[in-house]
Amino acid sequence: MTFFAFLGALSVSVLAFELLSAFQSAFSTFGNNRLMNLQPSRPIQKRSTWEALLIALWPGRFDPDQAANMADVVSMLRRAGYPYDSPGEFYAVAMRDFTIFLTVGGLLAGAIASMNMLVAAPVIALIFIFLGLRRPYVRLKTLAKKRAEGLRNNMLIGLSVLGSLLSSGVGVQEALRRASAVGGPFCNLLGLLVARMEVEDFTKAIEVTRAHLPDPADVEANLFLRDIHDFFANNRPLLSSVQGLQESVHRSVVEITEARAALVRQRAGLFGVMAVMGLVLAIIAPFMGAGMF
């Protein structure tokens, strides 16, 4: 009982501190000198007391300076197309997601415990804690998967433009620059490749571009980067490689589209069978009920 009283007092103290901080932030702008009020273009957001506690209790998970998986987070941010401006913003969102899942899990666990199901309450809480910890990473993987699908579709357009430019006699680097102006995931990677080649060696530029692929195992994208490397390293003709890769990507896109169409037809047939079964049961059920009585 003493522990719960201490926990309640601590919660009230934190709430009072947060309310006072909010009032102080709201009224601090009044009365300031206009010439001294030099605010940056993007104001710095202060951490709440709860976020400070999370960082203090679990720095390896929520502190950008001490996180054990910082390299994996940076890699996933690249693959997802930088949905967050920095790893710090990602960890801030991770803390908010964890707080939401922890609150919901705690409320559900408390409701289950009030119904005398004490064994299931900690299990529910642990499940929501696990989901809250995994949610930000699942979101990044989902964004990377969608970006990989968009890259494959955009790659067909980008290779078509690049092949047309090369066949008309435009230089490789200029053709890459013009193709990057089309827009899209693949064309944006071409723009990144051109920009990096202007400031550093082409080998390093290709490695940086490969690190930004949404799917590191994408065969067509890796073949394209290898052909670019062979052109600059061994002066290998690029036009034939681009044309062959364009046909391969076109075939792959057609196969994926056909597979999705077959899946849609299969689901439509299944829903039709279920609708017929539901209609038959709706017709027979009243007579079955009348026969039982």
Side-chain angles (χ1 to χ4, degrees), residues 157-215:
I157 301 174
L159 290 176
S160 300
V161 175
L162 185 61
S164 300
L165 292 171
L166 292 176
S167 61
S168 63
V170 180
V172 173
Q173 195 160 353
E174 180 63 23
L176 291 173
R177 181 180 292 104
R178 293 185 184 181
S180 65
V182 175
F186 177 74
C187 295
N188 290 338
L189 285 178
L190 295 183
L192 174 64
L193 177 62
V194 173
R196 300 302 299 182
M197 283 194 299
E198 291 178 353
V199 297
E200 58 189 5
D201 185 67
F202 69 90
T203 303
K204 181 64 176 177
I206 292 174
E207 292 300 322
V208 172
T209 306
R210 182 177 286 110
H212 285 78
L213 290 176
D215 183 9

Coordinates of all heavy atoms in Angstrom, one line a residue, residues 157-215:
I157 N 10.6 3.2 -66.2 CA 10.5 4.5 -66.9 C 11.9 5.1 -67.0 O 12.3 5.7 -68.0 CB 9.6 5.5 -66.1 CG1 8.2 4.8 -66.1 CG2 9.5 6.8 -66.7 CD1 7.2 5.6 -65.2
G158 N 12.7 5.1 -65.9 CA 14.0 5.7 -65.9 C 14.9 5.0 -66.9 O 15.7 5.7 -67.5
L159 N 14.9 3.7 -67.0 CA 15.7 3.0 -67.9 C 15.3 3.3 -69.4 O 16.2 3.4 -70.3 CB 15.7 1.5 -67.7 CG 16.4 1.0 -66.4 CD1 16.1 -0.5 -66.3 CD2 17.8 1.3 -66.4
S160 N 14.0 3.5 -69.6 CA 13.6 3.9 -71.0 C 14.1 5.2 -71.4 O 14.6 5.4 -72.5 CB 12.0 3.9 -71.0 OG 11.5 2.6 -70.7
V161 N 14.0 6.2 -70.4 CA 14.6 7.5 -70.7 C 16.1 7.5 -70.9 O 16.6 8.1 -71.8 CB 14.2 8.5 -69.6 CG1 14.8 9.9 -69.8 CG2 12.6 8.6 -69.5
L162 N 16.7 6.7 -70.0 CA 18.2 6.7 -70.1 C 18.6 6.0 -71.4 O 19.6 6.4 -72.0 CB 18.7 5.9 -68.9 CG 20.2 5.8 -68.7 CD1 20.8 7.2 -68.6 CD2 20.6 4.9 -67.5
G163 N 17.9 4.9 -71.8 CA 18.3 4.3 -73.1 C 18.1 5.2 -74.3 O 18.9 5.2 -75.2
S164 N 17.0 6.0 -74.2 CA 16.7 6.9 -75.3 C 17.8 8.0 -75.4 O 18.3 8.3 -76.5 CB 15.4 7.5 -75.2 OG 14.4 6.5 -75.2
L165 N 18.3 8.5 -74.3 CA 19.3 9.5 -74.3 C 20.6 8.9 -74.8 O 21.4 9.6 -75.5 CB 19.4 10.1 -72.9 CG 18.2 10.9 -72.4 CD1 18.4 11.2 -70.9 CD2 18.1 12.2 -73.2
L166 N 21.0 7.7 -74.3 CA 22.2 7.1 -74.7 C 22.2 6.8 -76.2 O 23.3 7.0 -76.9 CB 22.5 5.9 -73.9 CG 22.8 6.1 -72.4 CD1 22.9 4.7 -71.7 CD2 24.1 6.9 -72.2
S167 N 21.1 6.3 -76.7 CA 21.0 6.0 -78.2 C 21.1 7.2 -79.0 O 21.5 7.1 -80.2 CB 19.8 5.2 -78.4 OG 18.6 6.0 -78.1
S168 N 20.8 8.4 -78.5 CA 20.8 9.6 -79.3 C 22.2 10.3 -79.2 O 22.4 11.4 -79.7 CB 19.7 10.6 -78.8 OG 20.0 11.0 -77.4
G169 N 23.1 9.7 -78.5 CA 24.5 10.2 -78.5 C 24.8 11.1 -77.3 O 25.9 11.7 -77.2
V170 N 24.0 11.2 -76.3 CA 24.2 11.9 -75.1 C 25.2 11.2 -74.2 O 25.2 9.9 -74.1 CB 22.9 12.2 -74.3 CG1 23.2 13.0 -73.0 CG2 21.9 12.9 -75.2
G171 N 26.1 11.9 -73.6 CA 27.1 11.3 -72.7 C 26.4 10.6 -71.5 O 25.3 10.9 -71.1
V172 N 27.1 9.7 -70.9 CA 26.6 8.9 -69.8 C 26.2 9.7 -68.6 O 25.1 9.7 -68.1 CB 27.5 7.7 -69.4 CG1 27.0 7.0 -68.1 CG2 27.7 6.8 -70.5
Q173 N 27.1 10.5 -68.1 CA 26.9 11.4 -67.0 C 25.8 12.4 -67.2 O 24.9 12.6 -66.4 CB 28.1 12.0 -66.5 CG 28.1 12.6 -65.1 CD 29.4 12.8 -64.5 OE1 30.4 12.5 -65.1 NE2 29.5 13.5 -63.3
E174 N 25.7 12.9 -68.4 CA 24.7 13.9 -68.7 C 23.3 13.2 -68.9 O 22.3 13.7 -68.5 CB 25.0 14.6 -70.0 CG 24.0 15.6 -70.5 CD 23.8 16.8 -69.5 OE1 24.7 17.0 -68.7 OE2 22.7 17.4 -69.5
A175 N 23.4 12.0 -69.4 CA 22.1 11.2 -69.6 C 21.6 10.8 -68.2 O 20.4 10.8 -68.0 CB 22.4 9.9 -70.4
L176 N 22.5 10.5 -67.3 CA 22.0 10.2 -65.9 C 21.4 11.4 -65.3 O 20.4 11.3 -64.6 CB 23.2 9.7 -65.1 CG 23.8 8.3 -65.4 CD1 25.1 8.0 -64.6 CD2 22.8 7.2 -65.1
R177 N 22.0 12.6 -65.5 CA 21.5 13.8 -64.9 C 20.1 14.1 -65.5 O 19.2 14.5 -64.8 CB 22.4 15.0 -65.2 CG 22.0 16.3 -64.6 CD 22.9 17.4 -64.8 NE 24.2 17.2 -64.1 CZ 25.3 16.8 -64.6 NH1 25.4 16.6 -66.0 NH2 26.4 16.6 -63.9
R178 N 19.9 14.0 -66.8 CA 18.6 14.2 -67.4 C 17.6 13.2 -67.0 O 16.4 13.6 -66.7 CB 18.7 14.3 -68.9 CG 19.6 15.4 -69.5 CD 19.6 15.4 -71.0 NE 20.4 16.4 -71.5 CZ 20.6 16.6 -72.9 NH1 19.9 15.9 -73.7 NH2 21.4 17.6 -73.3
A179 N 17.9 12.0 -66.9 CA 17.0 10.9 -66.4 C 16.6 11.2 -65.0 O 15.4 10.8 -64.6 CB 17.6 9.6 -66.6
S180 N 17.4 11.7 -64.2 CA 17.1 11.9 -62.8 C 16.0 13.0 -62.6 O 15.3 13.1 -61.6 CB 18.3 12.3 -62.0 OG 18.8 13.6 -62.4
A181 N 15.9 13.9 -63.6 CA 14.9 14.9 -63.6 C 13.4 14.4 -63.8 O 12.5 15.1 -63.5 CB 15.1 16.0 -64.6
V182 N 13.3 13.1 -64.2 CA 12.0 12.5 -64.3 C 11.2 12.4 -63.0 O 10.0 12.7 -62.9 CB 12.1 11.2 -65.0 CG1 10.7 10.5 -65.1 CG2 12.7 11.3 -66.4
G183 N 12.0 12.1 -61.9 CA 11.4 12.0 -60.6 C 10.9 10.5 -60.3 O 10.7 9.7 -61.3
G184 N 10.8 10.2 -59.1 CA 10.5 8.9 -58.7 C 11.7 8.3 -57.9 O 12.8 8.8 -57.9
P185 N 11.4 7.1 -57.2 CA 12.5 6.5 -56.4 C 13.8 6.2 -57.1 O 14.9 6.5 -56.7 CB 11.8 5.3 -55.8 CG 10.4 5.5 -55.9 CD 10.2 6.4 -57.1
F186 N 13.6 5.5 -58.3 CA 14.8 5.2 -59.1 C 15.5 6.4 -59.6 O 16.8 6.5 -59.6 CB 14.4 4.2 -60.2 CG 15.6 3.8 -61.1 CD1 16.6 2.9 -60.6 CD2 15.7 4.3 -62.4 CE1 17.6 2.6 -61.4 CE2 16.8 3.9 -63.2 CZ 17.7 3.1 -62.7
C187 N 14.8 7.3 -60.2 CA 15.4 8.5 -60.8 C 16.0 9.4 -59.7 O 17.0 10.0 -60.0 CB 14.3 9.3 -61.6 SG 13.7 8.4 -63.0
N188 N 15.5 9.4 -58.5 CA 16.1 10.1 -57.4 C 17.5 9.4 -57.1 O 18.4 10.2 -56.7 CB 15.2 10.1 -56.2 CG 14.0 11.0 -56.4 OD1 14.0 11.8 -57.2 ND2 12.9 10.7 -55.6
L189 N 17.5 8.1 -57.1 CA 18.8 7.5 -56.9 C 19.8 7.8 -58.0 O 21.0 8.0 -57.7 CB 18.6 6.0 -56.9 CG 18.0 5.4 -55.6 CD1 17.9 3.9 -55.7 CD2 18.8 5.7 -54.4
L190 N 19.3 8.0 -59.2 CA 20.2 8.5 -60.3 C 20.8 9.9 -60.0 O 21.9 10.2 -60.2 CB 19.5 8.5 -61.6 CG 19.1 7.1 -62.2 CD1 18.4 7.3 -63.6 CD2 20.2 6.2 -62.3
G191 N 19.9 10.7 -59.5 CA 20.3 12.1 -59.1 C 21.3 12.0 -58.0 O 22.3 12.8 -58.0
L192 N 21.1 11.1 -57.0 CA 22.1 11.0 -55.9 C 23.4 10.5 -56.5 O 24.5 11.0 -56.1 CB 21.6 10.0 -54.9 CG 22.5 9.6 -53.8 CD1 22.9 10.8 -52.9 CD2 21.9 8.5 -52.9
L193 N 23.4 9.5 -57.4 CA 24.6 9.0 -58.0 C 25.4 10.1 -58.7 O 26.6 10.3 -58.6 CB 24.3 7.9 -59.0 CG 25.4 7.3 -59.8 CD1 26.4 6.6 -58.8 CD2 24.9 6.2 -60.7
V194 N 24.7 10.9 -59.5 CA 25.4 12.0 -60.2 C 26.0 13.0 -59.3 O 27.1 13.5 -59.4 CB 24.4 12.7 -61.2 CG1 25.0 13.9 -61.8 CG2 24.0 11.7 -62.3
A195 N 25.2 13.4 -58.2 CA 25.7 14.4 -57.3 C 26.9 13.9 -56.5 O 27.8 14.7 -56.3 CB 24.5 14.7 -56.3
R196 N 26.9 12.6 -56.2 CA 28.1 12.1 -55.5 C 29.3 12.0 -56.4 O 30.4 12.2 -55.9 CB 27.8 10.7 -54.9 CG 26.6 10.7 -53.9 CD 26.8 11.6 -52.7 NE 28.0 11.2 -51.9 CZ 28.4 11.8 -50.8 NH1 27.7 12.9 -50.4 NH2 29.5 11.4 -50.1
M197 N 29.1 11.7 -57.7 CA 30.2 11.5 -58.6 C 30.9 12.9 -58.8 O 32.0 12.9 -59.3 CB 29.8 10.9 -59.9 CG 29.6 9.4 -59.8 SD 29.4 8.6 -61.4 CE 28.0 9.4 -62.1
E198 N 30.1 14.0 -58.6 CA 30.7 15.3 -58.8 C 31.7 15.7 -57.7 O 32.5 16.6 -57.9 CB 29.6 16.3 -59.0 CG 28.8 16.2 -60.3 CD 27.7 17.2 -60.4 OE1 27.5 17.9 -59.3 OE2 27.0 17.3 -61.4
V199 N 31.6 15.1 -56.6 CA 32.4 15.5 -55.4 C 33.4 14.4 -55.0 O 34.3 14.7 -54.1 CB 31.5 15.9 -54.2 CG1 30.7 17.1 -54.6 CG2 30.6 14.7 -53.8
E200 N 33.2 13.1 -55.5 CA 34.1 12.1 -55.0 C 34.3 11.0 -56.1 O 33.7 11.1 -57.2 CB 33.6 11.4 -53.7 CG 32.2 10.8 -53.9 CD 31.7 10.4 -52.5 OE1 32.3 10.7 -51.5 OE2 30.6 9.8 -52.5
D201 N 35.1 10.0 -55.9 CA 35.4 9.0 -56.8 C 34.1 8.2 -57.1 O 33.2 8.0 -56.3 CB 36.4 8.0 -56.2 CG 36.8 7.0 -57.3 OD1 37.4 7.3 -58.3 OD2 36.5 5.8 -57.0
F202 N 34.0 7.7 -58.4 CA 32.8 7.0 -58.8 C 32.5 5.7 -58.0 O 31.4 5.3 -57.8 CB 32.8 6.7 -60.3 CG 33.8 5.7 -60.7 CD1 33.5 4.3 -60.8 CD2 35.1 6.0 -61.0 CE1 34.4 3.4 -61.1 CE2 36.1 5.1 -61.4 CZ 35.7 3.7 -61.4
T203 N 33.6 5.1 -57.6 CA 33.4 3.8 -56.8 C 32.7 4.1 -55.5 O 31.8 3.4 -55.1 CB 34.8 3.2 -56.5 OG1 35.4 2.9 -57.8 CG2 34.6 1.9 -55.8
K204 N 33.2 5.2 -54.8 CA 32.5 5.6 -53.6 C 31.1 6.1 -53.8 O 30.2 5.8 -53.0 CB 33.3 6.7 -52.9 CG 32.8 7.2 -51.6 CD 32.8 6.1 -50.5 CE 32.3 6.7 -49.2 NZ 32.3 5.6 -48.1
A205 N 30.9 6.8 -54.9 CA 29.5 7.3 -55.2 C 28.6 6.1 -55.5 O 27.4 6.1 -55.0 CB 29.6 8.2 -56.5
I206 N 29.0 5.0 -56.1 CA 28.2 3.9 -56.4 C 27.9 3.1 -55.1 O 26.8 2.7 -54.8 CB 28.9 2.9 -57.4 CG1 28.9 3.6 -58.8 CG2 28.1 1.6 -57.5 CD1 29.7 2.8 -59.8
E207 N 28.9 3.1 -54.2 CA 28.6 2.4 -52.9 C 27.6 3.2 -52.0 O 26.7 2.6 -51.4 CB 29.9 2.3 -52.1 CG 30.9 1.3 -52.7 CD 30.3 -0.1 -52.8 OE1 29.6 -0.5 -51.9 OE2 30.6 -0.8 -53.8
V208 N 27.7 4.5 -52.1 CA 26.7 5.3 -51.3 C 25.3 5.1 -51.9 O 24.3 5.0 -51.2 CB 27.1 6.8 -51.4 CG1 26.0 7.7 -50.8 CG2 28.4 7.0 -50.6
T209 N 25.2 5.1 -53.3 CA 23.9 4.9 -53.9 C 23.4 3.5 -53.6 O 22.2 3.3 -53.3 CB 24.1 5.0 -55.4 OG1 24.6 6.3 -55.7 CG2 22.7 5.0 -56.1
R210 N 24.2 2.5 -53.5 CA 23.8 1.1 -53.2 C 23.3 1.1 -51.8 O 22.3 0.3 -51.5 CB 24.9 0.1 -53.4 CG 24.5 -1.3 -53.1 CD 25.7 -2.3 -53.4 NE 25.9 -2.5 -54.8 CZ 26.9 -2.0 -55.5 NH1 27.9 -1.4 -54.9 NH2 27.0 -2.3 -56.8
A211 N 23.9 1.9 -50.9 CA 23.4 1.9 -49.5 C 22.0 2.5 -49.3 O 21.4 2.3 -48.3 CB 24.4 2.7 -48.6
H212 N 21.6 3.3 -50.3 CA 20.2 3.9 -50.3 C 19.2 3.1 -51.0 O 18.0 3.5 -51.2 CB 20.3 5.3 -50.9 CG 20.9 6.3 -50.0 ND1 22.3 6.4 -49.9 CD2 20.4 7.2 -49.2 CE1 22.6 7.4 -49.0 NE2 21.5 7.9 -48.6
L213 N 19.5 1.9 -51.5 CA 18.5 1.0 -52.1 C 17.5 0.5 -51.1 O 17.9 0.1 -50.0 CB 19.2 -0.2 -52.8 CG 20.0 0.0 -54.0 CD1 20.7 -1.3 -54.5 CD2 19.2 0.6 -55.1
P214 N 16.2 0.6 -51.4 CA 15.2 0.1 -50.4 C 15.3 -1.4 -50.1 O 15.0 -1.8 -49.0 CB 13.9 0.5 -51.0 CG 14.2 0.7 -52.5 CD 15.6 1.1 -52.6
D215 N 15.7 -2.1 -51.1 CA 15.9 -3.6 -51.0 C 17.4 -3.9 -51.4 O 17.7 -3.9 -52.6 CB 14.9 -4.3 -51.9 CG 15.0 -5.8 -51.7 OD1 15.8 -6.3 -50.7 OD2 14.4 -6.6 -52.4

